[in-house]
Amino acid sequence: MMEILHTAIRVTTPIALAALGGLFTHKAGVLNIALEGMMLMAAFMGVVTSYFTGSPLLAIMAAFGVSLIIGLIFSFFGITLKGNFIIVGLAVNMTAYGITAFWLQQWFGIRGILSSDKIIGLDPIDVPILNKIPIISDIFNNHTPIVYVSFLLLLITYITLKHTKIGLHIRVVGENENAAKAVGIKVNKIRYISVLLSSLYCALAGVNLSLESLNLFVEKMTAERGFIALAAIFSGKGTALGTYLFSFIFGLGETFQISLQIFDVPGSLIQTIPFIFVIIILTFIGIKNKKNKIKRGITND
Amino acid sequence: MMKKIFKFNIMKFIIPILLAFLVGSIILLISNINPISAFYNLFIGAFGSGRAFLSTLYYATPLILTGTATAIAFKANLFYMGVEGALYIGGFCSSLAGIYFHGLPPYIHIPIALLIGMITGGLFAMIPGILKGILDVNEMVTSIMLNYVAILGTTYLASFPFKAKDAGFSATEMVEKSAVIPKIFDSSMVHYGLFLSLIFAILIYIMFKKSTFGYDIESMGKNVNFSESCGMQTAKKTIYIITLSGALGGLAGAMEVLGTYKRFIAGFSSGLGWDGLTISLLSNNNPIGVIFSSIFFGGLYSGGAQMELLADVPRTIISVIQGLIIFFLAVDFTVKRFKKIKSR
């Protein structure tokens, strides 16, 4: 049981980080499906940098760098040139899939997986006081650094959105663009900031995937976690705590998949569990929302 | 008719492609590859000879269907992205019809197997359709999740319960000879499914232009709330549209299975559904435009093989170019727009 919760926290981390980052854009009225591509590029750059330099710190910096560049490109096409966010996001994801596969082949002459002893990752840490407390220690101790960073970021995201000026501006921009303009908020600037914030979160999510515990890069290794993160934001009704909670619920789905693998059940069937999990939960939330709503139409928001 | 379509689309079609190749060249240059020789080989491999062009048409065949499938949903402003999943479900189910129905003549066996592919693909698409139409659950997220369920689920089915005894990889038995869609020429892979794809694209084009359902799709795409208040049952229409989209995806999968592989192979698609999405965007959701865009994309695949062979350029650069095309498609690159940016 403790082991399951320990695993759940580990697999929740990349989803939760992408979701918390995506929350800023969600609040600013930008549908950011580029989360997936940002994570993937960060995961790739992290592994490549670690391969060539052997330094996890430089790897994280590289991941931040590449993710920020993607955030800027996404913002430029979506916000400045006013392209459709969904389509720009798709473009980011497809280019990220393509370019990581291309560079993998061009730089390393391999297809599929990059795995090497030269890739230095981030090891789990034994937290001093935490390791003395029973039960809690089993669940929360011995995680990799970014897992702890994600807890911190949950708090930071909550406070930023609720209690700071920038958070207020982000919410105003998302809720009523014209009102925001009327009170002198620079709408585009706020949207750029929100996208770049999500880039930073996604960079950590990517590094968490590729350099913590696994130390390898696999083509499309993000496996639609960016979209699961979006589902977590929708399900969590755009609150930081709700988003984290649903990320955790989706993480549990993935944990079940991982723990079922010891049994003699075919892998491909078990791997569907997290995805079915997301659909079932979205359905329940849909039913719940439906009860509170008389409106019958459909909208794309 | 042709003139009108081209007048409408030509800039939207050409500029993104040129820009994508331009940026693609830069990426190749950074990677120490000569873009001119790479793209020259790409072009020769796609359109340089009759053989190359037939190969291009072969690759274009399923893309016409997946492109049209996506166009139906996108035109109604529904971001249904589950064509890839529907393709797997349809392909798998039609392979079963191809394997287990015996003693039928080809002119009955092939249509039945194709129809089963369409129906199952459509039923599969109904899940996100109903969730969207009735419960207003975001169709993009659910359809993408279901893609994974379809790909992994059929991989399981082709690896265990329905695995061929003699196959060293995850695949079903070969379908009966009577279920195989014949080739048009002996020398090329292109099969009669090409004509079926073209017919469906044209039918959907006519549906868009002439039928009330087509009108409904267009008006939902423009303003769904307005359509709803005009008394259109948008919830029901949403389900129809997404189901139809999935049915075409299922048909594409069935044609790949019956025409190309002659059995269901796990993971056979390599993203035909996703390419359909780019193609639909490239053609502004117009099924006639989809035909041309699909031939262009078919050329990328056909030429990509040659480029990898002769110029030693990884063909994954094609995926990069596709992604870049979408970038430039997202932004309206009409001439007017350029002037506006300049004058700022």
Side-chain angles (χ1 to χ4, degrees):
Chain A
M1 183 62 195
M2 297 307 140
E3 211 171 302
I4 287 178
L5 287 175
H6 189 268
T7 313
I9 284 175
R10 176 170 63 82
V11 300
T12 295
T13 301
I15 301 171
L17 281 170
L20 289 172
L23 196 56
F24 289 108
T25 52
H26 179 79
K27 286 282 176 195
V30 175
L31 180 57
N32 186 355
I33 67 171
L35 297 172
E36 179 82 9
M38 290 172 176
M39 257 195 285
L40 189 68
M41 285 296 278
F44 178 76
M45 276 303 162
V47 162
V48 170
T49 311
S50 178
Y51 180 93
F52 285 118
T53 65
S55 155
L57 190 69
L58 281 177
I60 293 176
M61 300 313 281
F64 276 133
V66 75
S67 193
L68 281 174
I69 291 170
I70 297 172
L72 279 174
I73 295 172
F74 177 83
S75 306
F76 178 72
F77 276 86
I79 299 166
T80 306
L81 296 181
K82 296 194 189 327
N84 180 321
F85 286 123
I86 294 184
I87 299 173
V88 178
L90 267 176
V92 168
N93 295 344
M94 291 212 170
T95 314
Y97 289 152
I99 212 159
T100 48
F102 173 73
W103 278 336
L104 209 58
Q105 214 174 337
Q106 186 63 23
W107 293 348
F108 302 97
I110 46 167
R111 300 193 72 165
I113 299 178
L114 175 65
S115 161
S116 160
D117 295 341
K118 288 192 200 161
I119 302 167
I120 311 287
L122 300 158
D123 293 323
I125 38 181
D126 194 21
V127 184
I129 300 159
L130 198 64
N131 59 12
K132 298 277 191 315
I133 314 166
I135 306 174
I136 306 262
S137 159
D138 293 335
I139 302 171
F140 290 102
N141 199 16
N142 279 321
H143 280 294
T144 44
I146 292 175
V147 175
Y148 296 110
V149 173
S150 78
F151 297 145
L152 199 65
L153 284 175
L154 168 62
L155 193 70
I156 290 174
T157 309
Y158 175 82
I159 293 170
T160 310
L161 281 171
K162 252 247 145 115
H163 299 290
T164 64
K165 201 175 132 200
I166 184 81
L168 177 70
H169 284 187
I170 286 175
R171 281 184 289 142
V172 173
V173 167
E175 273 156 34
N176 193 332
E177 198 180 326
N178 292 327
K181 273 183 196 147
V183 294
I185 297 173
K186 290 198 172 91
V187 172
N188 281 7
K189 191 179 136 199
I190 295 292
R191 290 205 161 130
Y192 262 82
I193 291 172
S194 69
V195 173
L196 294 179
L197 281 171
S198 74
S199 297
L200 295 175
Y201 282 62
C202 284
L204 286 175
V207 172
N208 173 262
L209 273 176
S210 65
L211 280 179
E212 295 200 323
S213 73
L214 276 174
N215 295 353
L216 50 78
F217 179 82
V218 186
E219 265 179 42
K220 296 193 186 179
M221 77 184 302
T222 40
E224 315 291 344
R225 282 187 181 80
F227 290 94
I228 296 178
L230 279 184
I233 297 171
F234 297 153
S235 309
K237 297 243 169 75
T239 64
L241 286 170
T243 300
Y244 191 90
L245 183 71
F246 277 96
S247 302
F248 183 73
I249 291 172
F250 296 148
L252 271 179
E254 208 178 318
T255 310
F256 282 130
Q257 175 229 314
I258 296 169
S259 18
L260 277 174
Q261 274 173 357
I262 12 170
F263 299 107
D264 194 22
V265 190
S268 46
L269 202 58
I270 294 178
Q271 282 166 17
T272 60
I273 291 173
F275 303 110
I276 293 175
F277 219 75
V278 175
I279 293 166
I280 291 172
I281 286 163
L282 284 175
T283 309
F284 275 118
I285 299 214
I287 293 168
K288 204 174 141 246
N289 288 346
K290 173 86 177 173
K291 279 186 185 151
N292 305 333
K293 209 166 40 176
I294 315 154
K295 210 179 127 226
R296 195 156 53 105
I298 53 161
T299 43
N300 253 318
D301 55 2
Chain B
M1 187 177 82
M2 294 301 264
K3 210 172 169 187
K4 210 170 121 197
I5 292 160
F6 273 119
K7 207 173 101 192
F8 188 61
N9 266 340
I10 194 85
M11 291 313 260
K12 272 192 170 171
F13 183 83
I14 300 284
I15 294 177
I17 291 175
L18 286 180
L19 286 172
F21 271 98
L22 190 75
V23 178
S25 304
I26 296 169
I27 292 170
L28 285 177
L29 279 173
I30 296 170
S31 316
N32 255 333
I33 294 171
N34 179 355
I36 294 169
S37 104
F39 291 144
Y40 173 76
N41 278 297
L42 181 74
F43 182 77
I44 294 296
F47 303 105
S49 64
R51 216 184 129 87
F53 188 63
L54 282 178
S55 156
T56 294
L57 288 179
Y58 157 71
Y59 284 110
T61 302
L63 297 177
I64 296 172
L65 284 176
T66 55
T68 309
T70 311
I72 295 168
F74 275 17
K75 197 158 181 133
N77 205 18
L78 292 166
F79 282 89
Y80 173 66
M81 299 188 180
V83 175
E84 180 84 355
L87 184 125
Y88 273 93
I89 296 290
F92 180 78
C93 294
S94 76
S95 83
L96 293 187
I99 296 165
Y100 294 109
F101 292 168
H102 300 286
L104 296 173
Y107 56 86
I108 295 178
H109 200 168
I110 297 171
I112 284 185
L114 289 175
L115 199 64
I116 285 177
M118 271 186 99
I119 292 169
T120 48
L123 287 176
F124 178 74
M126 267 176 93
I127 305 169
I130 289 172
L131 287 176
K132 172 69 179 182
I134 296 176
L135 298 178
D136 200 16
V137 176
N138 185 296
E139 74 283 13
M140 187 172 70
V141 173
T142 50
S143 60
I144 287 171
M145 298 295 116
L146 281 167
N147 281 343
Y148 262 71
V149 175
I151 295 169
L152 293 164
T154 54
T155 299
Y156 161 74
L157 290 169
S159 317
F160 296 95
F162 294 97
K163 186 174 186 298
K165 287 179 189 71
D166 60 328
F169 49 101
S170 295
T172 63
E173 302 283 352
M174 303 295 278
V175 298
E176 293 277 309
K177 278 219 164 59
S178 55
V180 173
I181 301 174
K183 288 201 235 174
I184 303 176
F185 305 102
D186 283 338
S187 59
S188 169
M189 291 282 282
V190 60
H191 54 77
Y192 279 96
L194 173 65
F195 297 114
L196 201 60
S197 292
L198 291 172
I199 290 167
F200 268 96
I202 293 165
L203 280 178
I204 299 292
Y205 177 78
I206 295 169
M207 185 194 87
F208 278 166
K209 294 284 156 184
K210 304 280 176 200
S211 74
T212 45
F213 186 52
Y215 173 78
D216 291 350
I217 290 179
E218 191 143 358
S219 90
M220 273 176 71
K222 289 206 173 108
N223 190 335
V224 72
N225 291 328
F226 180 73
S227 308
E228 176 73 25
S229 45
C230 286
M232 199 184 287
Q233 290 172 299
T234 50
K236 216 164 151 188
K237 297 269 155 57
T238 300
I239 300 172
Y240 291 162
I241 290 164
I242 293 182
T243 305
L244 183 60
S245 177
L248 286 183
L251 179 65
M255 274 184 7
E256 280 296 280
V257 163
L258 302 177
T260 302
Y261 302 105
K262 300 170 184 73
R263 68 187 340 171
F264 180 87
I265 299 172
F268 71 94
S269 152
S270 73
L272 294 170
W274 291 107
D275 292 345
L277 205 144
T278 318
I279 287 166
S280 172
L281 293 172
L282 189 55
S283 51
N284 204 18
N285 306 331
N286 176 335
I288 302 295
V290 163
I291 296 174
F292 293 102
S293 310
S294 298
I295 292 173
F296 168 71
F297 264 59
L300 287 182
Y301 279 107
S302 162
Q306 162 121 351
M307 181 184 71
E308 190 164 74
L309 213 66
L310 295 184
D312 199 24
V313 180
R315 77 175 87 170
T316 35
I317 190 70
I318 304 282
S319 324
V320 179
I321 296 212
Q322 286 177 5
L324 292 170
I325 290 176
I326 310 181
F327 262 117
F328 298 115
L329 280 170
V331 183
D332 199 356
F333 279 107
T334 48
V335 181
K336 224 196 225 162
R337 166 119 216 154
F338 271 122
K339 276 185 191 150
K340 225 162 65 188
I341 292 172
K342 258 186 209 160
S343 66
R344 242 181 237 163

